[in-house]
Amino acid sequence: MLIWVLWLCGAYLLGAVSFGLLIARAKGVDLRSQGSGSTGATNVGRVMGKPWGVLCFVLDVGKGLGPVLLYQAFAPVPSVAADRPWLATMLWLAIGVAAVVGHIFPVWAGFRGGKGVATALGALLAFYPALTVPALVAFVIWFAVTKATAYVGLASVVAAIAMPILAAVFGLLFTQQTPGETAVYTGVCLTLALLVILRHRSNLSRLRDGTEAKVAWAEGKTKQPDNPQ
């Protein structure tokens, strides 16, 4: 279990690396004082331009994907879970959750991070095959809602709500998972969905008030960085 705890801490610390802040600082931009103040890819794209937002998105996905894949490939199964497959699965899933928590509450940045969408996507994609297909479908939903409305926050909430439903349907109808395994995967997706939705409370409030900002790329516009360097 000590080795597992070390993996858990490593996943959190990697998730806590704020690529949005690092990219902005490298360009001389104080990301927290511009746009929404978030350190995530959406605000990076809004403040600095689409290419930087895409780069941040890819890096944030990677820090969710990497720990989960590495744990599966190299970490020994804790002895307490050796004859309990469901427990081994839960310990594996916890690695992905730790990376997402690190992104949302980064120790390197005063526990003020992003909203967890990209890192959660990366973590879920890594749980092959149980969550890979549901995560891809959720990403398509996110993209479609963003293109239709130009509201990334709304798209993120819709995709988060869809993810546990997709995990349950895929697990029960299209795999050989036991109902217990499907319940574990669905439960973790529900946990991540709740985290993402809670982090988007301000977006939902602005949507209700009609003050939520749209993203330029979804409207087919080219937005210049607010502070080009």
Side-chain angles (χ1 to χ4, degrees), residues 2-112:
L2 176 59
I3 295 176
W4 175 78
V5 170
L6 293 174
W7 276 91
L8 195 72
C9 292
Y12 168 81
L13 292 173
L14 178 58
V17 176
S18 182
F19 288 115
L21 279 180
L22 293 175
I23 291 170
R25 286 176 182 172
K27 302 295 289 182
V29 176
D30 180 6
L31 190 62
R32 285 181 171 168
S33 67
Q34 299 192 42
S36 68
S38 171
T39 62
T42 299
N43 199 41
V44 171
R46 179 178 289 118
V47 172
M48 302 179 60
K50 181 179 177 180
W52 296 109
V54 171
L55 174 61
C56 184
F57 177 81
V58 171
L59 291 172
D60 284 348
V61 168
K63 69 184 185 182
L65 185 76
V68 177
L69 291 179
L70 290 172
Y71 179 84
Q72 182 188 29
F74 299 109
V77 176
S79 57
V80 69
D83 57 349
R84 299 180 178 89
W86 63 269
L87 181 55
T89 299
M90 289 190 69
L91 295 177
W92 182 34
L93 289 164
I95 300 299
V97 174
V100 178
V101 171
H103 176 80
I104 295 174
F105 305 109
V107 65
W108 316 119
F111 301 100
R112 294 172 55 204

